[in-house]
Amino acid sequence: MHDQDIFDVTIIGGGPAGMYAAFYAGMREMKVKLIEGKHQLGGFLHTYSDKTIWDVGGLPPMKCAKLIDWLVQQAGTFEPTVVFNQSVDALTRLDNGVIALHTATGETHHTRSVIVAIGRGIAEVQKLELDSAHDFERSNLHYTVQNLNYFAGKNVLISGGGNTAVDWALELADVAHTVTVVHRQEAFRAMEHNVKQMKKKVKVLTPFQVERLYGNGERIDQVAICNKATGENIRLEVDEVIISHGYTSQTSNIARCGLVMNEGVISMNHLGETNISGVFTAGDCANREGKVRLIAGAFNDAIVAVNSAKIYVEPTADEMAYVSSHNELFREKNRDLKNG
Ligand SMILES: Cc1cc2nc3c(=O)[nH]c(=O)nc-3n(C[C@H](O)[C@H](O)[C@H](O)COP(=O)(O)OP(=O)(O)OC[C@H]3O[C@@H](n4cnc5c(N)ncnc54)[C@H](O)[C@@H]3O)c2cc1C
């Protein structure tokens, strides 16, 4: 192992906590690596990328997809090394104190410190458990709504009972020709006010679940639904089918590598330190009294964890980074912005 292969800090997870940590660690002039288990940065934000976000300090309301773009851009400011499609599974310490991170696909990454920012684990959309479903994913079976106008004038069936299903039903009610929501429980797991509105605006069938998709060529044209209580079967004519059955997320094995956990999340102190020296944590995977599980909370954790990691690798360093408004690191970048 050559010294140039050892990073000052390696951040595991490319959600808001990990991305902001990558930026801030660059501001602290650390050699940074960011390892993300999926093919893209953004973390859990991708699961609601079509929603409008209002509560990130100082930013105007914007589609979450846009916020992801901005976070990705900011994370790249100091050109960290970014690795995709590698899930960190284990951590060992070498005799010289360097930490080795091992991935599920067999790679090893060496680092002086680690920030675990794995959030809710690696999220995967919960797919419709019917053999034929996969065939229609390229046509009219959807797991997300990217563009409301695509559904204009169409007969849309939505399966699901959470906030996302209810939100889509409300938004599509004004756009689509008809919207039918089927949910296998009587009760929805969504905001009461929105459920009431939805029941006024669209057809709601409970406790029904999707039993079969009928396709004419490449597209679904009918969906059979079954009443879970009575066994009644109904066939509905559809143009588009939206499945909103939530996400599964696997808890990362890394969280089981000797890190002290509390109620499924990693315990940290006010400095973002875990029980393992040199290993810090930030974002939704971390816990301490007063922890805020919001994007803004993830940013705050990231700053604290990076400052602690910096002092860990360089004990004489300042406790905090110098502010960005008067920071020499940005002088040239500011000039470029002015001229650009
Ligand atoms: C439906 C919903 C709506 C929300 N709306 C808002 C809102 O309006 N405003 C707000 O402030 N907050 C909102 N939140 C909360 C916000 O999304 C979270 O606080 C934020 O995503 C936490 O960021 P994070 O980086 O800690 O984790 P995540 O966003 O979960 O990112 C973790 C990343 O780590 C990766 N990862 C996991 N394990 C590994 C591994 N072993 N190796 C490599 N990579 C790994 C994952 O793939 C993922 O990219 C919402 C949450 C939900 C569920």
Side-chain angles (χ1 to χ4, degrees), residues 27 31 37 39 52 59 65 124 145 147-148 156 180 232 235 298 317:
M27 201 166 133
K31 186 176 173 194
H39 64 284
T52 303
L59 291 184
E124 299 291 349
V145 172
N147 175 7
L148 288 176
V156 181
T180 306
E232 177 193 8
R235 271 206 204 192

Side-chain angles (χ1 to χ4, degrees), residues 182-234:
V182 296
H183 177 39
R184 62 191 174 140
Q185 313 279 349
E186 289 291 359
F188 283 79
R189 302 176 317 279
M191 283 173 66
E192 208 179 321
H193 173 78
N194 290 350
V195 175
K196 272 191 192 155
Q197 289 294 109
M198 173 185 72
K199 286 182 174 169
K200 277 187 207 157
K201 289 183 149 190
V202 308
K203 187 170 171 184
V204 175
L205 297 172
T206 57
F208 275 92
Q209 81 178 22
V210 173
E211 285 283 300
R212 198 162 165 192
L213 308 173
Y214 293 92
N216 174 7
E218 289 185 348
R219 297 174 62 81
I220 305 165
D221 52 25
Q222 286 189 344
V223 175
I225 58 169
C226 176
N227 185 313
K228 298 251 295 167
T230 63
E232 177 193 8
N233 273 294
I234 304 178

Side-chain angles (χ1 to χ4, degrees), residues 306-322:
V306 168
N307 283 330
S308 295
K310 175 75 180 177
I311 292 168
Y312 178 80
V313 297
E314 197 186 319
T316 55
D318 289 339
E319 279 185 16
M320 283 193 64
Y322 200 47

Side-chain angles (χ1 to χ4, degrees), residues 12-19 35-38 40-45 47-48 52-56 86-89 117-123 164 250 252-254 282-285 292-296 298:
I12 309 172
M19 285 189 284
I35 305 176
E36 167 54 47
K38 298 198 79 166
Q40 59 186 358
L41 298 177
F44 222 76
L45 304 197
T47 68
Y48 53 96
T52 303
I53 304 255
W54 287 75
D55 55 357
V56 179
Q86 291 189 24
S87 168
V88 177
D89 250 9
I118 55 178
R120 294 157 177 263
I122 299 179
T164 305
Q250 301 164 312
S252 303
N253 289 336
I254 185 72
D284 275 14
C285 64
V292 175
R293 284 205 167 71
L294 284 174
I295 295 162

Side-chain angles (χ1 to χ4, degrees), residues 266-270 272-274 281-283 286-289 291 301:
I266 301 165
S267 295
M268 65 171 170
N269 65 12
H270 64 289
E273 293 168 326
T274 68
T281 186
N287 201 23
R288 65 167 161 74
E289 207 176 323
K291 162 75 193 132
D301 290 350

